Amino acid sequence: MATQRKHIGRRGLPATAALAMGALAMGAVLVPGAAQAAPADTAGAKQNPVRALEQAAHPLRSTEPGRNTTDLRALGAMIGDAEVVGLGEATHGSHEFFTMKERVFRYLVEEKGFTTFALEVSWSAGLRIDEYLHTGTGDTREIAKETLANSPWDREEFVSLIEWMRDYNRDHPGRTVHFMGDDIGAPAVSDAFFGRITHYVRQNHPEALSQLDKLYTGLRPINDVFAYLKKPLAERQRLAAQAQQALELISGLKGSGGDAFDWAEQNARSIAQTTRFLTLNPEDPASNAASQRFRDEVMAQNVSWWQRRTGQKVLLSAHNDHVAYVAGDPGTYSKTQGSFLRDTMGKNYLPIGFTFNQGSFLSKDAALGGEWKKFTVPAAEPGSNEATLDKVRYRNFYLDARNAPAPVRAWLNTARPTLNVGTQFPEEPRDTVIAKSFDVLIHLHEVREADKLTP
């Protein structure tokens, strides 16, 4: 399905809960042989930013995993000692964004000590995938279909990632990798997930089990988000209050604490987060905006909890507008996951954004519900960030927005139209200041639709 690049449209909420609902929505390391811009070059760079960008750019030899990674060494230096790296995507459902995530994650695991891949899917879905990575029980494709259904990530590229992570754990039993979902909502919060919490209480605090079961009555399971949203608002608010009371009940059982308690409390917190989010009114833009801010705050809290609790370095995969310090659509994303993480982690959080010149992706053409469809956009329009970036002589490249030569930093600090497509398309490019959104930028010349899952 071909369509023009520039559109007048409204952003959907590109989220797991929202996905299930349809649209609830170091120093500069230079390229070998490249020279840093001299002060005398500054005036000329203002007229011809491409020349300056080429001096800052590091070419990518490939976007596919499993290749030589010497071209990622400069990226590793840019990441430095960051404990959480946010890796965005300018669209959902583009092959090259997904494969670059696997390629970068493999490099960070093997060279930088990272051990966790986090994705904007539900907390419960992440636990299900992580169990598979460590037990090998089940089938990769079936696990992917179960946990990533009705999302743009139920694609071959994520099967490849999960398979690599499972193989890595088999070969490295003393240093395993993990998968976490940092989001709320769908896939459904299954009865088995509620069972994780009630099992802890039954084993450790049986006197509290009856009260916990009472609080979860009417909540377990949340099988169908669409059906749940059809409940009257007052009922959803009551259920959210019960979930919060259940969390408070669990928190009050801390006693001597311990590993089992920590996980039971976090699981209960996830249910409380989800039910609060589902008190939104899909027809009210103000409710949607407040819920989106809450959701990004929750995703940041979950990543922070995981990182503190495990001490592991995390690659956080999400849409550009989630990992960024500032979203391209501040009306919908008044404060992003990346902004919340910067507040709590400072320089230990580093966001990497993506831009692309042309190609295909997945999105929806309905505000609520609908199917993920292929859309295609032509080359970026003159005057956009992507149009200039694509004139750099490298087909695909990355650069450090913090430590580039002054002319490049000046160019990156100017607002220009930039296309970021979320859950809903058509979408119009929005004025974006790259340097205010990301510490590092990856630009790709062309992307294509991600590969459908095969049986």
Side-chain angles (χ1 to χ4, degrees), residues 143-418:
I143 298 294
K145 290 176 182 178
E146 171 190 340
T147 57
L148 305 177
N150 302 316
S151 82
W153 303 293
D154 61 346
R155 297 272 154 165
E156 285 293 326
E157 292 82 358
F158 274 88
V159 169
S160 172
L161 171 66
I162 295 170
E163 286 179 337
W164 180 84
M165 294 176 74
R166 173 58 191 150
D167 289 344
Y168 184 91
N169 285 351
R170 187 180 297 111
D171 296 337
H172 302 82
R175 185 182 178 277
T176 57
V177 293
H178 293 267
F179 193 106
M180 76 161 290
D182 63 6
D183 210 342
I184 52 185
V189 185
S190 67
D191 193 68
F193 181 72
F194 279 88
R196 293 172 181 266
I197 305 164
T198 56
H199 176 75
Y200 168 80
V201 173
R202 182 179 296 108
Q203 295 295 112
N204 298 277
H205 304 278
E207 72 284 358
L209 183 60
S210 176
Q211 178 64 12
L212 182 64
D213 282 337
K214 181 179 179 180
L215 290 171
Y216 279 155
T217 298
L219 266 175
R220 58 183 299 178
I222 304 175
N223 282 327
D224 186 336
V225 172
F226 287 107
Y228 190 94
L229 283 170
K230 291 179 181 179
K231 296 177 185 289
L233 177 60
E235 182 179 356
R236 285 182 279 133
Q237 290 173 333
R238 175 179 60 79
L239 292 172
Q242 289 179 205
Q244 179 62 31
Q245 291 168 23
L247 169 60
E248 292 168 0
L249 173 63
I250 299 297
S251 297
L253 302 176
K254 182 172 183 178
S256 59
D259 186 74
F261 166 80
D262 288 346
W263 285 101
E265 183 183 42
Q266 176 62 13
N267 291 337
R269 182 177 295 114
S270 176
I271 293 172
Q273 292 166 343
T274 296
T275 53
R276 177 179 168 184
F277 180 80
L278 293 177
T279 61
L280 62 85
N281 178 2
E283 306 302 323
D284 180 4
S287 175
N288 279 337
S291 296
Q292 187 59 49
R293 178 189 171 99
F294 171 71
R295 175 172 165 258
D296 272 49
E297 182 176 14
V298 163
M299 292 194 294
Q301 289 172 347
N302 289 339
V303 170
S304 295
W305 182 90
W306 181 285
Q307 198 281 320
R308 291 194 309 269
R309 176 68 179 69
T310 65
Q312 298 170 1
K313 291 185 178 182
V314 179
L315 179 67
L316 165 61
S317 169
H319 190 273
N320 277 350
D321 276 346
H322 293 307
V323 305
Y325 295 135
V326 180
D329 181 7
T332 299
Y333 305 92
S334 60
K335 189 173 176 68
T336 65
Q337 181 182 16
S339 179
F340 283 112
L341 286 170
R342 178 170 58 179
D343 290 346
T344 58
M345 302 190 69
K347 292 183 178 179
N348 284 323
Y349 175 69
L350 181 143
I352 303 173
F354 270 106
T355 55
F356 74 108
N357 179 58
Q358 62 191 34
S360 301
F361 49 86
L362 298 173
S363 191
K364 300 183 178 184
D365 55 10
L368 187 63
E371 299 294 327
W372 291 94
K373 301 177 182 179
K374 175 183 177 180
F375 294 89
T376 302
V377 293
E381 295 186 352
S384 65
N385 275 319
E386 299 97 328
T388 299
L389 289 165
D390 210 61
K391 293 178 181 177
V392 170
R393 68 178 181 268
Y394 309 122
R395 180 179 176 86
N396 303 315
F397 64 91
Y398 60 94
L399 57 81
D400 191 329
R402 305 158 298 172
N403 298 311
V408 177
R409 294 199 307 273
W411 187 86
L412 294 170
N413 271 292
T414 301
R416 296 179 194 82
T418 309

